[in-house]
Amino acid sequence: MLQVAVNEDEPVESRRRRVAGLVRDQAGADLVVLPELWTTGAFAYEEFDGGAEPLRGPTLEAMAKAASDAGVWLHAGSVPERAPDGTLYNTSLVLSPSGDLAAAYRKIHRFGFDKGEAVLMGAGDALVTVRLPHTTLGVATCYDLRFPELFRGLVDAGAETLVVPAGWPERRRDHWTLLARARAVENQAFVLACGTAGTHAGVEQAGHSMVVDPWGEVLAEAGSGEQVLTVDFDPTTVAGTRERFPALKDRVLGLDRPRR
Ligand SMILES: NC(=O)CCC(=O)C(=O)O
């Protein structure tokens, strides 16, 4: 995972080049993951409009080239996408080792309550999973981490590895680490939670990207600065965990409304 520092003093184009270089350096990895809105910064609301790009824009182009140069699967984090009708979305991109767009996920839960992303961007309305050679990814973005039903939907769709790019603030770091572990334990899945470092729009970022296993153990955790976090894990252990401790099988469905 590449915990990218997002600071205003670095022009977006330079950061894009720098991140492409970091991706290329990961040749030999199976999967590389980038954070949320690492071009503009997740809290730089004034930059969303100017920094928006079409789905197949400069970030996808640069990351597709980097993924194919390195021969890796790349979850390229998210970009502010401008859809053909003009609506902005917070859209995550998953690229194959040949640089093809394997999946795009528009963030469903927008952050900001009645301002920021929540008013500037449209909401996605579709869950996205991606089949990789060794695992099925379920993708979610940042604030989505607070909504367990989204993750359960991904698990029901076959996800074994839940990938969460984020731009999570330092002041709520405890929630980030707690929720990443909770989503892993309750879904008996790996969680790859990749945040940003640095400070933008006056919001210090938490960093502390984590890889959590299906038992809730933290396999690796970054510090608060820019960092490459490299982890070896075996995604086939998900099936064993779910068999040995079959909590997912004990679900009682249909409890979403009180009975009268
Ligand atoms: N970019 C985000 O979604 C921020 C989420 C956040 O700060 C929180 O849930 O707390």
Side-chain angles (χ1 to χ4, degrees):
M1 287 200 290
L2 305 181
Q3 179 171 288
V4 176
V6 179
N7 292 304
E8 273 116 0
D9 56 3
E10 181 180 38
V12 171
E13 194 39 51
S14 316
R15 190 174 314 123
R16 217 183 260 123
R17 268 199 305 276
R18 193 166 65 71
V19 170
L22 289 170
V23 172
R24 282 193 185 91
D25 290 345
Q26 310 314 312
D30 293 313
L31 171 67
V32 177
V33 180
L34 294 172
E36 179 188 32
L37 296 179
W38 55 268
T39 55
T40 53
F43 285 87
Y45 303 133
E46 324 72 55
E47 306 299 322
F48 286 178
D49 194 54
E53 41 186 296
L55 186 65
R56 292 174 191 280
T59 302
L60 186 143
E61 200 184 322
M63 293 304 112
K65 175 95 176 50
S68 70
D69 288 348
V72 296
W73 282 90
L74 174 62
H75 185 311
S78 71
V79 295
E81 176 206 354
R82 189 184 306 284
D85 70 358
T87 307
L88 300 188
Y89 293 96
N90 185 339
T91 303
S92 290
L93 309 169
V94 181
L95 300 158
S96 76
S98 48
D100 295 321
L101 181 62
Y105 164 67
R106 289 175 170 165
K107 184 178 182 181
I108 292 177
H109 302 96
R110 296 156 300 164
F111 185 66
F113 311 111
D114 54 359
K115 40 188 196 323
E117 183 187 25
V119 295
L120 296 170
M121 288 189 169
D125 59 5
L127 297 182
V128 173
T129 60
V130 193
R131 184 64 209 156
L132 265 56
H134 304 298
T135 189
T136 298
L137 302 184
V139 295
T141 308
C142 203
Y143 187 47
D144 282 335
L145 191 59
R146 294 186 182 272
F147 300 88
E149 61 279 12
L150 182 153
F151 290 83
R152 196 41 70 81
L154 291 170
V155 166
D156 286 344
E160 296 174 327
T161 301
L162 303 163
V163 188
V164 189
W168 202 279
E170 168 61 18
R171 61 177 170 267
R172 289 187 291 279
R173 190 201 324 157
D174 283 355
H175 292 190
W176 165 247
T177 51
L178 178 71
L179 291 168
R181 290 190 66 203
R183 297 295 85 88
V185 172
E186 74 197 357
N187 294 299
Q188 303 186 295
F190 284 94
V191 168
L192 316 184
C194 182
T196 47
T199 298
H200 64 269
V203 181
E204 185 187 353
Q205 296 295 288
H208 286 265
S209 298
M210 296 168 78
V211 175
V212 189
D213 79 6
W215 198 246
E217 298 289 333
V218 177
L219 301 183
E221 180 170 348
S224 46
E226 180 159 301
Q227 192 173 331
V228 178
L229 192 66
T230 306
V231 189
D232 259 331
F233 68 90
D234 178 3
T236 63
T237 58
V238 168
T241 305
R242 289 178 182 175
E243 257 170 54
R244 277 193 303 281
F245 196 90
L248 284 174
K249 283 199 192 133
D250 282 341
R251 290 162 69 190
V252 177
L253 302 174
L255 295 176
D256 46 348
R257 268 181 226 98
R259 296 231 169 88
R260 288 172 198 269

